[in-house]
Short mmCIF file of all heavy atoms in Angstrom, two decimals:
data_model
loop_
_atom_site.label_atom_id
_atom_site.label_comp_id
_atom_site.label_asym_id
_atom_site.label_seq_id
_atom_site.Cartn_x
_atom_site.Cartn_y
_atom_site.Cartn_z
N HIS D 248 31.18 20.73 -8.41
CA HIS D 248 32.28 20.89 -9.37
C HIS D 248 33.57 20.29 -8.82
O HIS D 248 34.41 19.82 -9.58
CB HIS D 248 32.46 22.38 -9.71
CG HIS D 248 33.00 23.21 -8.59
ND1 HIS D 248 32.18 23.83 -7.67
CD2 HIS D 248 34.27 23.51 -8.22
CE1 HIS D 248 32.91 24.47 -6.80
NE2 HIS D 248 34.20 24.29 -7.08
N GLN D 249 33.74 20.29 -7.49
CA GLN D 249 34.95 19.67 -6.92
C GLN D 249 34.98 18.17 -7.22
O GLN D 249 36.01 17.60 -7.58
CB GLN D 249 34.98 19.88 -5.40
CG GLN D 249 35.27 21.30 -4.98
CD GLN D 249 35.27 21.45 -3.48
OE1 GLN D 249 34.22 21.28 -2.86
NE2 GLN D 249 36.43 21.73 -2.91
N VAL D 250 33.80 17.53 -7.08
CA VAL D 250 33.71 16.10 -7.38
C VAL D 250 33.94 15.86 -8.86
O VAL D 250 34.68 14.94 -9.25
CB VAL D 250 32.32 15.55 -6.96
CG1 VAL D 250 32.18 14.09 -7.36
CG2 VAL D 250 32.11 15.72 -5.47
N ALA D 251 33.34 16.74 -9.69
CA ALA D 251 33.48 16.58 -11.13
C ALA D 251 34.94 16.71 -11.55
O ALA D 251 35.44 15.91 -12.35
CB ALA D 251 32.62 17.62 -11.85
N ILE D 252 35.63 17.70 -10.97
CA ILE D 252 37.05 17.90 -11.32
C ILE D 252 37.88 16.70 -10.88
O ILE D 252 38.71 16.18 -11.63
CB ILE D 252 37.57 19.22 -10.68
CG1 ILE D 252 36.94 20.41 -11.39
CG2 ILE D 252 39.09 19.29 -10.76
CD1 ILE D 252 37.16 21.74 -10.68
N GLU D 253 37.60 16.22 -9.65
CA GLU D 253 38.32 15.05 -9.15
C GLU D 253 38.08 13.84 -10.06
O GLU D 253 39.01 13.10 -10.39
CB GLU D 253 37.88 14.74 -7.72
CG GLU D 253 38.36 13.40 -7.16
CD GLU D 253 39.81 13.44 -6.70
OE1 GLU D 253 40.40 14.54 -6.72
OE2 GLU D 253 40.34 12.38 -6.33
N LEU D 254 36.82 13.67 -10.46
CA LEU D 254 36.49 12.56 -11.36
C LEU D 254 37.27 12.69 -12.67
O LEU D 254 37.85 11.72 -13.15
CB LEU D 254 34.98 12.57 -11.67
CG LEU D 254 34.08 11.67 -10.84
CD1 LEU D 254 32.63 11.87 -11.26
CD2 LEU D 254 34.47 10.21 -10.99
N TRP D 255 37.28 13.90 -13.21
CA TRP D 255 37.97 14.14 -14.48
C TRP D 255 39.47 13.87 -14.33
O TRP D 255 40.08 13.19 -15.14
CB TRP D 255 37.71 15.57 -14.94
CG TRP D 255 38.48 15.96 -16.16
CD1 TRP D 255 39.58 16.79 -16.22
CD2 TRP D 255 38.24 15.52 -17.51
NE1 TRP D 255 40.02 16.90 -17.50
CE2 TRP D 255 39.23 16.13 -18.32
CE3 TRP D 255 37.31 14.68 -18.11
CZ2 TRP D 255 39.29 15.93 -19.71
CZ3 TRP D 255 37.38 14.47 -19.47
CH2 TRP D 255 38.35 15.09 -20.26
N GLU D 256 40.04 14.39 -13.24
CA GLU D 256 41.48 14.24 -13.05
C GLU D 256 41.89 12.79 -12.81
O GLU D 256 42.98 12.38 -13.21
CB GLU D 256 41.95 15.11 -11.87
CG GLU D 256 42.04 16.59 -12.24
CD GLU D 256 42.42 17.46 -11.05
OE1 GLU D 256 42.51 16.94 -9.92
OE2 GLU D 256 42.63 18.66 -11.27
N THR D 257 41.05 12.05 -12.14
CA THR D 257 41.45 10.68 -11.81
C THR D 257 41.01 9.66 -12.86
O THR D 257 41.25 8.48 -12.71
CB THR D 257 40.88 10.26 -10.45
OG1 THR D 257 39.48 10.51 -10.45
CG2 THR D 257 41.54 11.00 -9.31
N THR D 258 40.32 10.12 -13.90
CA THR D 258 40.00 9.20 -14.99
C THR D 258 40.78 9.58 -16.26
O THR D 258 41.69 8.90 -16.68
CB THR D 258 38.49 9.17 -15.29
OG1 THR D 258 38.04 10.52 -15.46
CG2 THR D 258 37.72 8.51 -14.19
N ALA D 259 40.43 10.75 -16.80
CA ALA D 259 41.00 11.13 -18.10
C ALA D 259 42.46 11.55 -18.00
O ALA D 259 43.23 11.34 -18.93
CB ALA D 259 40.17 12.26 -18.71
N GLN D 260 42.87 12.12 -16.86
CA GLN D 260 44.21 12.70 -16.80
C GLN D 260 45.23 11.81 -16.10
O GLN D 260 46.34 12.24 -15.83
CB GLN D 260 44.15 14.07 -16.12
CG GLN D 260 43.32 15.04 -16.95
CD GLN D 260 43.36 16.44 -16.41
OE1 GLN D 260 43.52 16.65 -15.21
NE2 GLN D 260 43.23 17.43 -17.29
N LYS D 261 44.84 10.59 -15.78
CA LYS D 261 45.81 9.66 -15.19
C LYS D 261 45.97 8.45 -16.11
O LYS D 261 45.01 8.05 -16.77
CB LYS D 261 45.31 9.17 -13.82
CG LYS D 261 45.32 10.23 -12.73
CD LYS D 261 46.65 10.26 -12.02
CE LYS D 261 46.66 11.22 -10.84
NZ LYS D 261 46.23 12.59 -11.14
N LYS D 262 47.17 7.91 -16.14
CA LYS D 262 47.34 6.66 -16.88
C LYS D 262 46.47 5.57 -16.23
O LYS D 262 46.38 5.51 -14.99
CB LYS D 262 48.82 6.24 -16.86
CG LYS D 262 49.63 6.86 -17.99
CD LYS D 262 50.87 6.07 -18.30
CE LYS D 262 51.87 6.12 -17.17
NZ LYS D 262 53.21 5.67 -17.49
N VAL D 263 45.88 4.72 -17.02
CA VAL D 263 44.94 3.75 -16.44
C VAL D 263 45.66 2.74 -15.55
O VAL D 263 45.02 2.05 -14.76
CB VAL D 263 44.14 2.99 -17.53
CG1 VAL D 263 43.23 3.95 -18.26
CG2 VAL D 263 45.07 2.27 -18.49
N THR D 264 46.98 2.65 -15.67
CA THR D 264 47.70 1.72 -14.80
C THR D 264 48.06 2.36 -13.46
O THR D 264 48.50 1.68 -12.55
CB THR D 264 48.99 1.26 -15.49
OG1 THR D 264 49.70 2.42 -15.95
CG2 THR D 264 48.71 0.33 -16.65
N SER D 265 47.87 3.68 -13.35
CA SER D 265 48.22 4.38 -12.12
C SER D 265 47.32 3.97 -10.96
O SER D 265 46.13 3.73 -11.15
CB SER D 265 48.11 5.89 -12.33
OG SER D 265 48.04 6.56 -11.09
N LYS D 266 47.91 3.91 -9.76
CA LYS D 266 47.13 3.56 -8.57
C LYS D 266 46.16 4.68 -8.18
O LYS D 266 45.29 4.51 -7.34
CB LYS D 266 48.08 3.29 -7.38
CG LYS D 266 48.87 1.99 -7.52
CD LYS D 266 48.01 0.78 -7.20
CE LYS D 266 48.81 -0.49 -7.01
NZ LYS D 266 49.55 -0.92 -8.19
#
Side-chain angles (χ1 to χ4, degrees):
Chain D
H248 70 271
Q249 288 179 294
V250 176
I252 289 168
E253 169 79 5
L254 264 178
W255 175 254
E256 283 176 354
T257 52
T258 51
Q260 296 187 331
K261 290 272 185 307
K262 273 203 292 195
V263 294
T264 51
S265 162
K266 289 284 193 297

